[in-house]
Amino acid sequence: MIEWQRPLGSTGLTVSAVCAGTGVLGSMPGAFGYEVPAQRGIDTVTRVLAGPITCLDTSNGYSDGESERRVGAALAAAGGVPDGFVVATKVDPDGDDFSGARVRRSLEESLDRLGMSRVPLLYLHDPERISFDDATAPGGPVEELLRIRDEGLAEHVGVAGGPAALMERYVRTGAFEVLITHNRWTLLDRSAGGLIDAAVERGVAVVNAACFGGGILVKGSAGSDRYAYRTAHPEVLEAVRGMEAACARHGVPLAAAALQFSLRDPRIASTVVGFSRPERIDECVVQAGTPIPDELWPELEALLPSSDRWLH
């Protein structure tokens, strides 16, 4: 039985096992392959706010702020953030500018769109876009993020990004309370395993994003040929087909196995799932509770691609 409400590391925040991701609902056809009308995006957030999901993840940079605008519209219609609900956003660069001053402006823009005066959780987003030395230099984005926390505009700070080795360097600074890793701890990819261990060892809460690999582990090989927002290597597609067949033999939807692979990991506090329509929330809750026989997991493990270089 999956524990639904969980502590977010040592932050004192409580989050649901599934966190609502909002990149897709802002409409990012280049990444996800389809448009999302504005009202549908707002309606999706409205449905999230009704429960049982109690956390939402967005970013300044998603759809040039459109994700946050839609979240903000739904929050305004709901009369504000519900009690016990955690809204997290991320600071993003403006073009090539990822300075400390830009971090401050990014948060100000986000607060304006969301209609909030402060956020419970604020992430440094995709720091691979600058060098580690620049990010951690005096006056740089990490220092400014910590200053924002000290001022109370963000209760807690985290780091969210892709390359596992680089993300581990950020975790080891001791500056961050929460880590988001994406597309690297899925049925197809285990390359974030060492990173997750390093975070847990240091008391950093782990949030796992993109457990469906951008959609293919929901839609299956017939519905998508993309993993991590790009065309999948033939070996990856072969692995997906094998996993589909294994799940079918056990009467388990591939999406349920992909989701529960993350939910059942005791190191992971919450799993970010992107939603672009209201009915997906109920479908996801069903997937989280679908019974999965223990013998399926080693079968799926045996089907992993031979190298994670096909995935990144």
Side-chain angles (χ1 to χ4, degrees):
M1 189 71 173
I2 291 169
E3 182 182 0
W4 190 254
Q5 294 294 328
R6 309 173 177 191
L8 186 63
S10 59
T11 64
L13 300 173
T14 299
V15 293
S16 49
V18 172
C19 177
T22 64
V24 64
L25 71 77
S27 198
M28 296 174 68
F32 297 100
Y34 59 94
E35 301 274 0
V36 178
Q39 190 58 52
R40 194 173 94 194
I42 295 168
D43 291 345
T44 300
V45 178
T46 298
R47 173 63 191 85
V48 169
L49 296 174
I53 292 171
T54 59
C55 55
L56 178 148
D57 176 85
T58 188
S59 180
N60 181 291
Y62 289 163
S63 306
D64 295 323
E66 183 61 20
S67 169
E68 290 182 328
R69 282 187 283 272
R70 295 179 184 186
V71 172
L75 289 173
V81 181
D83 290 344
F85 196 96
V86 175
V87 175
T89 193
K90 310 181 189 76
V91 293
D92 282 284
D94 181 7
D96 294 330
D97 181 8
F98 213 169
S99 61
R102 170 56 198 162
V103 164
R104 175 75 57 163
R105 289 195 302 274
S106 180
L107 173 62
E108 291 169 351
E109 292 163 1
S110 293
L111 293 176
D112 181 63
R113 295 180 193 125
L114 294 168
M116 299 171 66
S117 60
R118 59 203 296 270
V119 289
L121 178 57
L122 183 65
Y123 293 98
L124 181 70
H125 194 200
D126 289 346
E128 58 263 36
R129 290 178 282 190
I130 56 175
S131 74
F132 181 82
D133 289 343
D134 286 344
T136 56
V142 172
E143 184 177 279
E144 187 64 21
L145 197 71
L146 296 178
R147 184 176 294 114
I148 285 168
R149 181 181 63 185
D150 291 344
E151 293 172 5
L153 293 174
E155 292 179 45
H156 306 282
V157 297
V159 61
L166 175 63
M167 297 305 293
E168 187 169 340
R169 292 187 71 186
Y170 281 97
V171 164
R172 292 182 182 278
T173 65
F176 303 99
E177 301 162 89
V178 186
L179 161 75
I180 290 182
T181 180
H182 66 82
N183 285 298
R184 287 164 174 81
W185 193 249
T186 73
L187 284 180
L188 291 166
D189 188 348
R190 311 300 162 82
S191 58
L195 166 63
I196 294 171
D197 284 340
V200 172
E201 288 168 6
R202 285 158 182 77
V204 176
V206 178
V207 176
N208 187 33
C211 68
F212 298 129
I216 192 170
L217 292 172
V218 174
K219 300 173 184 176
S221 58
S224 175
D225 66 350
R226 294 166 64 82
Y227 180 84
Y229 322 122
R230 66 181 188 179
T231 301
H233 187 275
E235 187 171 330
V236 175
L237 293 176
E238 181 181 357
V240 173
R241 286 190 287 268
M243 290 177 178
E244 288 177 291
C247 287
R249 287 194 298 272
H250 290 278
V252 173
L254 177 63
L259 176 60
Q260 290 191 40
F261 169 77
S262 182
L263 297 184
R264 69 199 290 266
D265 191 323
R267 302 172 301 170
I268 293 171
S270 190
T271 298
V272 179
V273 175
F275 298 117
S276 62
R277 49 190 174 91
E279 56 268 30
R280 271 291 294 136
I281 289 86
D282 294 317
E283 292 171 4
C284 183
V285 172
V286 170
Q287 290 162 355
T290 298
I292 297 181
D294 290 341
E295 55 267 29
L296 176 58
W297 299 114
E299 291 185 35
L300 297 175
E301 186 85 16
L303 293 164
L304 278 168
S306 62
S307 171
D308 58 29
R309 67 193 176 98
W310 306 130
L311 298 155
H312 305 147

